[in-house]
Amino acid sequence: MKPERSAPRWSAIAFLILVSLIAATFLYSPGTEDIRTWYYWMDEISYYGLVDGFAQGGGRFPHDYPPLAYVFLAGVVPVATALGVSKFVVLKCFLLVFLFATSACFYWFTRNLILTAALEFSLALSSVMLGYLDIWFAPFLIAGLFCLQRGHLKCGIVLFTISCFIKWQPLMIAPFICIYVWSAVQNVPSWRHKLRMQVMPFAVAALVVAVPLVAIFGTAVIQSLQRAMSHHYLSGLALNFAWLHTWGLHLLQSQKYGSLVDGQIDLILTGNTLVTLPERVLFYASYALVLTAFLRRPKTFERLIGYAILGYLCYFIFNAGVHENHLFLAVCLAWIMVFLNSAYRLQAINLSLMGNINPVLFYGFFGTGLRFSRVIAGIDVTILFSVLNLCLFAGLLLHTFKADHIGLKFWQLNKPSPQDAANEIPTVV
């Protein structure tokens, strides 16, 4: 996709500068309550050291983040000490720098100032204003995906693996990426040589990233992943199916789960697998459906991004234990999709709004919480947003399947269209 010709280049530059200034203006916004968690982890690192601090598991604030997030946090304290400023300022500066790095990375591959500004604006709230750490994996994820598009499979998988060791959420799209990379090796005369070339990107990523990190941090890496996969929240403030389920339990089983608080839905913690069974079934079924559909279609890069978005939305919409900031990755993918196909511009705007309004409804724009009640006419508006999110997901799923000519017998592979052949992934020979 080329830059918009209707907008002069200086206007696009001004737009990007304006977005950057807005992000920098809110450097001192207090952020969400998660900031306290980052402080506690940094204190553990200062007291025990990086490796032993990670092995502590977070103490009063159990960590479910991969080790590279701890590596970045470990850099905050010495920088703050050297500059004579607070850890808060350095942490927020780190987030701001990574926001700019994400924009620079996106522009490097797209050369589109308008889309770069749109991406940066969509990520500014979650990163600089509210203080979530997702922005740390964004440049690695974006660079890795564009490297895959250009046929640099080893570099792409290494960068993607780095993003997974900063936060676990990118693992949700790993099956789509594995299928794409596996299909990229074609026209190789020997099946042994082909197999070696297919395995090589993953072997390099394991040797360069995964194995050294596991060797350094030990079994604590696995324990961190287990904690990330076993949250006892029915919904961790994510506006999804589980949030509607939470509402229903407050109404129908208030003696067990508590009533609505001034009409507002509150978190429910439960270790009962039967309670979360509907979420698990819907998540696994929908994710398997999307993954199978992708597996049976020609593997273009545009299709990779589109189906990765759908697969990730299956996780956000239906899984239990999802948090309010977990749409961050989908927003990154959405603007890559717009670069590939401008017809998806409205879908990207919708996903960006979904990803930003979710934390705002609970923490406001600065992390200090809303200054007014969420209840309007006796209804918590988060219910309406949850229903809308489900509808938007269903609409995107149906639109993608219709555009891809996927019917009820989607497992039967159709012959690729001429357009598919033209957009086929760069093959490695």
Side-chain angles (χ1 to χ4, degrees):
M1 177 178 174
K2 296 180 179 180
E4 302 285 351
R5 296 190 178 277
S6 60
R9 185 172 178 82
W10 65 265
S11 296
I13 295 174
F15 181 34
L16 180 58
I17 293 175
L18 178 61
V19 170
S20 300
L21 288 175
I22 292 173
T25 299
F26 296 102
L27 184 67
Y28 289 95
S29 62
T32 70
E33 58 193 17
D34 285 354
I35 297 289
R36 290 187 303 159
T37 302
W38 318 149
Y39 284 163
Y40 187 87
W41 292 355
M42 285 187 282
D43 289 341
E44 281 196 326
I45 294 170
S46 299
Y47 186 80
Y48 295 104
L50 175 60
V51 176
D52 290 338
F54 183 78
Q56 294 298 314
R60 290 191 300 114
F61 298 91
H63 72 73
D64 53 3
Y65 281 39
L68 285 182
Y70 256 59
V71 172
F72 290 148
L73 287 174
V76 172
V77 177
V79 172
T81 303
L83 298 178
V85 297
S86 67
K87 292 184 292 186
F88 174 82
V89 172
V90 175
L91 175 62
K92 294 298 282 296
C93 284
F94 274 23
L95 297 175
L96 182 63
V97 167
F98 268 82
L99 176 65
F100 292 159
T102 301
S103 299
C105 178
F106 187 83
Y107 178 74
W108 176 265
F109 288 102
T110 64
R111 293 297 193 268
N112 191 311
L113 289 166
I114 296 176
L115 291 186
T116 300
L119 173 70
E120 183 175 311
F121 187 74
S122 301
L123 304 182
L125 174 77
S126 177
S127 55
V128 180
M129 297 169 71
L130 297 181
Y132 294 112
L133 305 185
D134 304 72
I135 194 63
W136 285 350
F137 74 73
F140 300 100
L141 174 71
I142 291 172
L145 290 172
F146 277 115
C147 283
L148 293 181
Q149 182 198 27
R150 299 185 178 190
H152 307 310
L153 303 184
K154 297 185 186 69
C155 182
I157 293 298
V158 166
L159 291 170
F160 176 74
T161 305
I162 292 173
S163 74
C164 293
F165 276 93
I166 297 173
K167 283 205 71 175
W168 294 121
Q169 276 70 42
L171 286 175
M172 293 307 307
I173 65 171
F176 298 91
I177 291 176
C178 291
I179 293 171
Y180 177 87
V181 171
W182 195 263
S183 303
V185 180
Q186 303 294 338
N187 304 323
V188 179
S190 168
W191 70 268
R192 289 187 177 87
H193 184 51
K194 180 178 180 179
L195 180 61
R196 184 166 59 252
M197 293 181 67
Q198 288 173 323
V199 172
M200 187 60 66
F202 306 103
V204 171
L207 292 175
V208 173
V209 182
V211 172
L213 287 175
V214 173
I216 293 171
F217 291 94
T219 58
V221 177
I222 306 301
Q223 294 167 0
S224 171
L225 179 59
Q226 289 174 338
R227 281 190 288 269
M229 297 172 62
S230 58
H231 283 292
H232 287 168
Y233 292 112
L234 187 55
S235 170
L237 300 181
L239 300 180
N240 54 12
F241 176 82
W243 189 248
L244 295 175
H245 191 184
T246 300
W247 175 52
L249 291 177
H250 281 311
L251 294 178
L252 302 177
Q253 300 185 41
S254 57
Q255 292 182 342
K256 184 175 182 180
Y257 296 104
S259 304
L260 298 175
V261 181
D262 296 326
Q264 296 186 162
I265 306 171
D266 200 5
L267 290 167
I268 286 181
L269 281 167
T270 176
N272 189 338
T273 55
L274 291 178
V275 175
T276 59
L277 184 61
E279 282 75 15
R280 305 294 184 186
V281 170
L282 287 171
F283 164 56
Y284 290 126
S286 60
Y287 190 88
L289 172 70
V290 172
L291 186 63
T292 303
F294 175 68
L295 183 65
R296 303 300 295 173
R297 301 301 297 164
K299 310 304 182 294
T300 64
F301 184 71
E302 180 179 326
R303 189 170 278 119
L304 165 66
I305 300 301
Y307 279 87
I309 292 173
L310 285 176
Y312 191 81
L313 288 179
C314 292
Y315 157 77
F316 180 85
I317 294 295
F318 293 123
N319 201 19
V322 181
H323 287 251
E324 73 282 350
N325 61 310
H326 284 184
L327 269 179
F328 182 94
L329 185 145
V331 175
C332 295
L333 296 179
W335 289 107
I336 295 176
M337 191 66 176
V338 176
F339 168 72
L340 300 173
N341 187 342
S342 60
Y344 285 84
R345 185 183 292 110
L346 186 57
Q347 287 90 331
I349 293 174
N350 285 335
L351 283 174
S352 298
L353 290 174
M354 286 170 58
N356 282 282
I357 195 62
N358 199 149
V360 165
L361 286 172
F362 297 101
Y363 296 108
F365 286 97
F366 311 111
T368 54
L370 284 180
R371 300 301 183 183
F372 51 87
S373 174
R374 302 194 311 258
V375 179
I376 300 177
I379 299 176
D380 188 334
V381 295
T382 59
I383 298 172
L384 304 180
F385 279 101
S386 298
V387 172
L388 180 60
N389 285 346
L390 264 71
C391 293
L392 289 173
F393 166 71
L396 183 59
L397 180 69
L398 293 175
H399 171 78
T400 302
F401 278 20
K402 182 179 179 180
D404 237 354
H405 307 291
I406 296 176
L408 293 177
K409 297 182 178 180
F410 64 91
W411 57 85
Q412 295 180 357
L413 181 62
N414 299 324
K415 293 182 179 180
S417 65
Q419 183 179 4
D420 284 332
N423 295 330
E424 195 66 49
I425 57 177
T427 56
V428 178
V429 296

